[in-house]
Amino acid sequence: MTGLSGTKDDADLVILNPRDGSLVASYPILDQEAVTATVSSARQAASWWAAQDFAARKRLLLAWKAEIARDAETIASSIAAETGKPAGDALLEVMLTLGHLDWAAKNAKKTLRRRRMPAGLMNYNQSASLGYQPFGVVGVIGPWNYPLYTPMGSISYALAAGNAVVFKPSELTPGVATLLAEKWQQVCPEPVFQVVTGDRRTGDVLVRSEVDKVAFTGSTATAKKIMAACAESLTPLVAECGGKDALIVAADADLQAAADFIVFGAMGNAGQTCVGVERVYVEAQVHRKLLELVVAGVAKLSFEGDGAAYGPLTLGSQAEVVSAHVADALERGGRAAWGGPESISGRRVTPIVLTDVPEESLSIQQETFGPTVVINRVESIDDAIARANATAYGLGAAVFTRDKRLGLAIAEQLRAGAVTVNSVLGFASIPALPFGGVGGSGFGRIHGANGLLEFSVAKSIARQNRKAALNLLTMDRSERDMNLVSRLIPLLHGRGKPRN
Ligand code: NAD
C-alpha cells in the first residue's frame, strides 16, 4: 500500500520534463479521505515498527538502502526527468542520500537507547535513566530542488528513530517519491513508509491529519502557513526553509580555490540550492582578482549536451524572481560583471555575476534561487561578518582563509546553522553533522544525532531503589526533616560568591 490508490480531488499532477516539456508521468492529487486512510494505516504500522528492536529496524533500513542503491540509475533518471538537472548531479544526489540513510540506521541505537543518568547527591536512593521513544507517525513534506536528498534527511532519521512516515513530495517531483515507496514495499510488507502525492492542498490535509509530528522542507512562506496549521493541534514541527547564504573571502585566501567553489556553489543545480552561495563578501584588496577568477570560471561553463553544467530552472515561474532581483540590483547601482537581464530566457538562465550591489537590494536580502551571485567588496572581516549576518535568513555560510584560527573564529560568528571553511556545502555530506537554520531559515535539526533526537520523545524514568533517609516526598515529613533541609540548602547551593 503506497497510499497512491486513493480518490482524486480533481485533475492529476501532470509532470513535464523542464528540459523539453515532454510528458514524464501523471500522479493523482490525493484528497482528505485518501490521506486520512494512509495516516490511519501508518498508525498501525507505527506500533509494529516501534515494537521492533534497534537491530531489526537497522536490518530493514539497510535492506531498503540496498534496494535503492541497486536501482540508483533509475532513481537518478527520475530525478533528472522531473527537475531537469543533469543525470550526473542526480546520481550524486542518490549517493549523498544513501550516506545519510546508512548513518541513521547504524547510529540509532547508540543515540537513542536507554542510558543511566546521574541522580545527584540528594537522590542517592533513586536510579535515573533516560530513553527515547518515537512520536508515532511523522508527516514529511518535501521540496523539488533535491527531491530525494532533502526529504530523506527527515525520512531516514524519523524511520531510524522508530516512527512511521507519510511523505507528501513536491507536486513537481512525485515520481522519485513513488519509487522510494515501491522500494520500501520490496523489503517490508508493513506500510511503515508511504507516499501521498498531490499539491499544497494534499500537504495541508496531511498537516491537519492525526500525524504526531510534521517535518517540512521548503520555502519560509510555506513554513509559516504550516506552523499556523500545526498550532491548532499543537503538532510539533521541524522547519527547514530557505537561505541566502554568504561566503566570506579573506585577503589571504587561495583565490582560485575560492572562485572554483563560488562557481559551483552559486551555479550548480542552476542556483536552486537552499545552501547555495548567493552572496560573496571579499576583502577590498583582492576583490578585483576574485571577480576576474569567478568570471573566468562561469565563462567556461557549458549549457548543452551531456557536459552541461546545469539544467533549466525546474519551476518556470522562478525566472520572474531572478529577473526582478537582477533588475533591482542594477537599478540600485549594482554592476553586472558577467551576464545580465539578457541571460534570462524563460527557464534557461546562463550565469549572472553582479558586484557592488547595495545591501538593501532584493538580490542581497531575499532568496534568488537562480544561477546568480553577488560579489561585494568589504573593508574588513568584521564588515563582512556584519553584512553576512544582516538578512532574515541563517541557513549555511562559508569562509575562505589560509589562517585556520581566523577561519574558525569567523565561522563561530556567522549567524548560520552550518558553516564550511575553505569549501562549500561540505557539511551536507557529513551525516554526523546536524543540519538546519535559524531565523527565517527555520528551526529544529535533521541529520546526525540531533536528527534522530528531533524525531524522538525523551522519556525519563526515576526508580526509587531504597527508602530515603529524608522523608520529603510524602505527607509524613517531619519537622526534623525540614530542619535538615534548611541547613542543607546553604551547604549545597550557597557557596558561590560573585567575582570582583
Ligand atoms: P514550497 O514551500 O513552495 O513547497 C514545499 C512543499 O510544501 C511542497 O511539497 C508543497 O506542495 C507543500 N506546500 C505548499 N503549501 C502548503 C501548505 N499550505 N500546507 C502544506 N504543504 C504545503 O517550496 P519549494 O518551491 O518546493 O522548494 C523550494 C524552497 O525550499 C526554497 O525556499 C529552498 O531554499 C527550500 N529548501 C530548503 C531546504 C533546507 O533544508 N533548509 C532544502 C531544500 C529546499
Side-chain angles (χ1 to χ4, degrees):
M1 156 89 186
T2 62
L4 296 175
S5 54
T7 50
K8 283 183 228 167
D9 194 18
D10 46 33
D12 283 356
L13 296 173
V14 177
I15 308 302
L16 305 178
N17 187 322
R19 278 182 184 274
D20 54 13
S22 61
L23 178 68
V24 178
S26 60
Y27 298 85
I29 296 174
L30 295 186
D31 65 5
Q32 179 150 15
E33 201 184 323
V35 174
T36 306
T38 307
V39 171
S40 141
S41 68
R43 176 144 324 280
Q44 289 185 15
S47 304
W48 175 81
W49 187 234
Q52 307 302 302
D53 61 12
F54 285 109
R57 287 202 289 261
K58 176 175 154 186
R59 253 194 321 277
L60 270 171
L61 288 170
L62 293 181
W64 189 37
K65 183 190 78 158
E67 279 301 325
I68 298 168
R70 278 195 286 271
D71 216 3
E73 296 279 350
T74 309
I75 291 174
S77 303
S78 168
I79 296 174
E82 291 186 328
T83 62
K85 68 175 73 175
D89 286 5
L91 199 59
L92 283 178
E93 184 176 339
V94 177
M95 193 175 81
L96 215 56
T97 305
L98 294 178
H100 280 279
L101 178 53
D102 184 77
W103 195 94
K106 290 179 180 165
N107 286 277
K109 182 175 179 184
K110 190 169 95 185
T111 311
L112 303 175
R113 71 173 168 219
R114 184 157 287 281
R115 80 252 355 251
R116 284 180 70 94
M117 302 297 281
L121 189 63
M122 287 296 286
N123 299 301
Y124 72 95
N125 65 322
Q126 302 198 63
S127 65
S129 73
L130 169 62
Y132 293 94
Q133 295 181 335
F135 277 90
V137 180
V138 175
V140 175
I141 296 181
W144 46 263
N145 60 337
Y146 291 90
L148 182 70
Y149 173 75
T150 53
M152 280 293 280
S154 295
I155 294 165
S156 305
Y157 293 82
L159 290 174
N163 301 280
V165 168
V166 177
F167 171 35
K168 206 299 278 178
S170 164
E171 46 273 58
L172 301 185
T173 54
V176 59
T178 306
L179 279 173
L180 270 185
E182 286 170 11
K183 303 278 168 220
W184 178 267
Q185 284 178 302
Q186 283 164 17
V187 299
C188 178
E190 299 287 337
V192 172
F193 173 68
Q194 299 178 86
V195 166
V196 287
T197 55
D199 57 15
R200 64 187 160 72
R201 294 166 296 177
T202 314
D204 185 56
V205 168
L206 179 62
V207 169
R208 293 174 193 278
S209 72
E210 292 191 341
V211 291
D212 303 292
K213 175 143 189 166
V214 172
F216 169 74
T217 306
S219 65
T220 306
T222 303
K224 290 178 185 175
K225 290 183 195 151
I226 289 181
M227 195 168 173
C230 284
E232 289 176 23
S233 51
L234 265 192
T235 304
L237 168 70
V238 46
E240 302 289 346
C241 313
K244 189 73 199 177
D245 287 12
L247 181 151
I248 293 177
V249 182
D252 74 338
D254 175 342
L255 295 182
Q256 184 60 62
D260 291 345
F261 278 114
I262 290 167
V263 172
F264 176 75
M267 310 300 163
N269 203 31
Q272 306 165 118
T273 302
C274 55
V275 283
V277 178
E278 298 220 353
R279 303 175 287 151
V280 175
Y281 296 110
V282 50
E283 285 199 276
Q285 58 268 46
V286 293
H287 172 257
R288 211 182 64 181
K289 182 70 190 158
L290 182 77
L291 200 55
E292 281 170 14
L293 290 169
V294 171
V295 164
V298 297
K300 280 193 293 202
L301 299 181
S302 117
F303 299 96
E304 301 300 329
D306 289 343
Y310 58 79
L313 297 179
T314 306
L315 184 64
S317 59
Q318 195 64 24
E320 289 159 31
V321 176
V322 178
S323 279
H325 285 199
V326 172
D328 174 75
L330 298 177
E331 272 162 29
R332 288 177 193 262
R335 284 189 300 117
W338 184 263
E342 69 284 1
S343 310
I344 305 162
S345 167
R347 287 174 189 272
R348 304 209 170 259
V349 185
T350 52
I352 302 169
V353 181
L354 304 169
T355 188
D356 296 332
V357 177
E359 294 294 313
E360 61 279 12
S361 307
L362 294 176
S363 59
I364 297 281
Q365 294 298 330
Q366 293 180 14
E367 190 176 46
T368 306
F369 233 50
T372 70
V373 66
V374 174
I375 302 187
N376 276 353
R377 80 190 80 209
V378 290
E379 291 313 317
S380 66
I381 292 294
D382 285 346
D383 184 17
I385 295 170
R387 292 184 196 216
N389 289 347
T391 75
Y393 294 104
L395 193 55
V399 47
F400 280 76
T401 170
R402 287 192 164 92
D403 180 335
K404 184 175 160 195
R405 264 189 203 204
L406 179 67
L408 294 176
I410 295 172
E412 289 286 5
Q413 293 173 71
L414 286 167
R415 184 173 171 269
V419 183
T420 51
V421 181
N422 293 333
S423 80
V424 293
L425 304 170
F427 43 75
S429 61
I430 302 174
L433 282 181
F435 181 81
V438 298
S441 292
F443 50 84
R445 291 294 180 266
I446 56 173
H447 301 175
N450 296 65
L452 290 165
L453 292 168
E454 185 71 49
F455 295 105
S456 306
V457 181
K459 170 67 81 67
S460 301
I461 300 181
R463 185 174 66 86
Q464 173 157 321
N465 45 36
R466 75 189 87 150
K467 204 165 173 309
L470 277 181
N471 187 19
L472 301 179
L473 295 182
T474 74
M475 296 300 186
D476 298 331
R477 67 185 178 220
S478 66
E479 211 178 313
R480 174 189 151 271
D481 289 340
M482 291 316 293
N483 281 340
L484 217 60
V485 167
S486 59
R487 289 216 298 280
L488 272 173
I489 289 174
L491 265 179
L492 288 174
H493 302 291
R495 278 187 282 199
K497 281 194 182 147
R499 289 196 179 167
N500 292 326

